[in-house]
Amino acid sequence: MSSSLEQFASLLFRMVNGLGLLNLFLLLLIKAKLLLGSYKLHSLQSKFLFLHPCQVDDGVVLPDEASLYLTAIEDAEYKDNKIEFWNNVYGFDMSCIKKQAMMEPLVDTVDQKQIVTNCHLLKTMDISKMVPRDASFIAPFKLIAERDDYIHAFVAYFDVSFTKCQSRATHWKQTVLYLEDVLTICEGETIIGSMTV
């Protein structure tokens, strides 16, 4: 295996195991770019990495569809225990670490009871037909509160589908993006914004 392939495989392993869903979604986009020839990898390497049937007219790319979603959650307990903790670590102010902890997305399974808003579809991509420009996008969102509560974080997650061979979607853990300030929201109120990838 060439050193560039080993480096890419190592990066892929670290991203999937350490950084989470959003990065895995982005890797699917990178996969599509590789298959479209946007990155300069030898064709045998891309065949090996992604099992893509290059130069086969009736081949398929699997998964062939990916959808990215956003929602918001109440998560005071985790934020207090893992983030606010840095303000006073056994009498020492270590809030400089808190800033770093806030910047790192948390990859975890979110309990459905924590979800405060609707789930908004940001983007669906047909991976088998993507062109390089499809990997960059700005997706507006509108989240509507389903109850009176606090919002401590946004949660990004995605589903992928194998529409050519099965109809059921598959999914992984969620990526939690904590907010610096807690939001108070009442049922029916909206949060409007956009996500840039």
Side-chain angles (χ1 to χ4, degrees):
M1 192 184 298
S2 73
S3 63
S4 64
L5 182 57
E6 288 172 342
Q7 289 171 348
F8 185 81
S10 174
L11 173 66
L12 178 66
F13 179 79
R14 285 193 314 261
M15 290 179 82
V16 170
N17 286 322
L19 296 179
L21 292 174
L22 203 51
N23 287 326
L24 188 54
F25 183 79
L26 294 175
L27 280 174
L28 289 171
L29 299 179
I30 291 169
K31 170 187 171 182
K33 280 191 154 197
L34 282 168
L35 297 176
L36 293 167
S38 299
Y39 292 108
K40 300 196 186 307
L41 271 184
H42 189 272
S43 64
L44 287 177
Q45 291 172 339
S46 60
K47 275 188 202 179
F48 176 78
L49 273 175
F50 302 111
L51 304 177
H52 174 65
C54 296
Q55 301 172 353
V56 177
D57 293 333
D58 60 349
V60 294
V61 175
L62 297 172
D64 58 328
E65 186 176 279
S67 298
L68 180 64
Y69 297 88
L70 189 72
T71 190
I73 62 168
E74 179 283 322
D75 200 9
E77 184 178 345
Y78 181 91
K79 191 173 181 192
D80 284 343
N81 290 341
K82 304 296 184 185
I83 308 269
E84 299 302 330
F85 162 81
W86 296 108
N87 289 331
N88 183 358
V89 181
Y90 306 107
F92 293 96
D93 180 1
M94 300 184 73
S95 56
C96 60
I97 295 176
K98 174 185 170 182
K99 292 173 188 167
Q100 184 63 35
M102 287 291 296
M103 293 175 60
E104 292 294 322
L106 169 71
V107 178
D108 202 356
T109 302
V110 174
D111 189 323
Q112 189 171 359
K113 291 181 261 183
Q114 294 177 271
I115 297 172
V116 177
T117 68
N118 65 314
C119 298
H120 182 89
L121 173 64
L122 293 170
K123 182 133 178 111
T124 296
M125 296 186 178
D126 183 342
I127 298 170
S128 64
K129 295 179 181 168
M130 284 181 66
V131 294
R133 68 180 173 273
D134 294 337
S136 298
F137 60 89
I138 297 174
F141 64 84
K142 180 179 180 180
L143 299 177
I144 303 169
E146 296 180 342
R147 65 176 188 253
D148 297 351
D149 213 328
Y150 298 100
I151 294 177
H152 295 93
F154 289 113
V155 176
Y157 67 96
F158 69 92
D159 287 334
V160 296
S161 300
F162 297 77
T163 64
K164 303 286 191 279
C165 60
Q166 71 179 46
S167 60
R168 200 170 139 243
T170 60
H171 62 280
W172 287 267
K173 290 183 177 180
Q174 296 80 45
T175 301
V176 182
L177 309 160
Y178 284 96
L179 302 172
E180 193 169 322
D181 298 318
V182 177
L183 301 177
T184 303
I185 197 159
C186 295
E187 184 176 356
E189 289 184 333
T190 60
I191 300 171
I192 297 172
S194 64
M195 178 178 276
T196 303
V197 176

